[in-house]
Amino acid sequence: MRWIALLGLCAAYLQGGLTKAFDFPSALVEMEHFGLAPAAPLAAAVIVLEIGASALILAGRLRWLGALALAGFTIMATFLVNRFWEMAPPERFAATNGFFEHLGLVGGFLLVAWHDLKGRDAGARA
């Protein structure tokens, strides 16, 4: 059950990383849409981060590091993409929801990191 929960937490990042990897031209368009340059290295870095950090979490090796990496990535992407405070009312509603949903994901990843580090600390004392 725990692994399924972790898979659910990582699902969007696995899907996003794989989609970008298999359709790299669209990943470049996405980077350019958000004003990120140079697009190719940034898109490649996002692919590696999304898939790699998810793999760390699911494999249980350096789970805390993968969780903190996705938490940091998510908070940065949230402030870049869901700038609801700059939007007019029709778009503002969806962007506000997306912003706070992503904050929830950040909280989930922080809990995963904390739990993993807490478990390592308890194991070191045993």
Side-chain angles (χ1 to χ4, degrees):
M1 182 69 77
R2 179 174 146 188
W3 192 85
I4 298 296
L6 293 170
L7 179 61
L9 190 58
C10 295
Y13 302 89
L14 289 168
Q15 179 273 331
L18 291 171
T19 298
K20 288 175 186 72
F22 288 115
D23 187 3
F24 198 69
S26 291
L28 297 179
V29 170
E30 182 181 42
M31 294 296 133
E32 291 164 357
H33 172 76
F34 292 115
L36 300 173
L42 288 172
V46 168
I47 291 165
V48 169
L49 176 72
E50 288 183 320
I51 296 171
S54 295
L56 290 175
I57 291 168
L58 295 173
R61 295 177 87 24
L62 299 174
R63 181 173 281 147
W64 63 271
L65 182 61
L68 290 178
L70 286 179
F73 170 76
T74 302
I75 199 77
M76 288 188 312
T78 298
F79 277 96
L80 177 70
V81 175
N82 292 312
R83 302 169 65 89
F84 66 89
W85 53 90
E86 296 177 350
M87 297 178 183
E91 295 82 18
R92 181 179 295 167
F93 182 78
T96 301
N97 286 341
F99 183 90
F100 287 99
E101 288 169 357
H102 283 87
L103 290 184
L105 284 169
V106 170
F109 285 123
L110 292 176
L111 280 172
V112 168
W114 172 75
H115 188 267
D116 192 53
L117 288 170
K118 182 179 170 191
R120 291 179 190 282
D121 186 44
R125 283 185 266 153

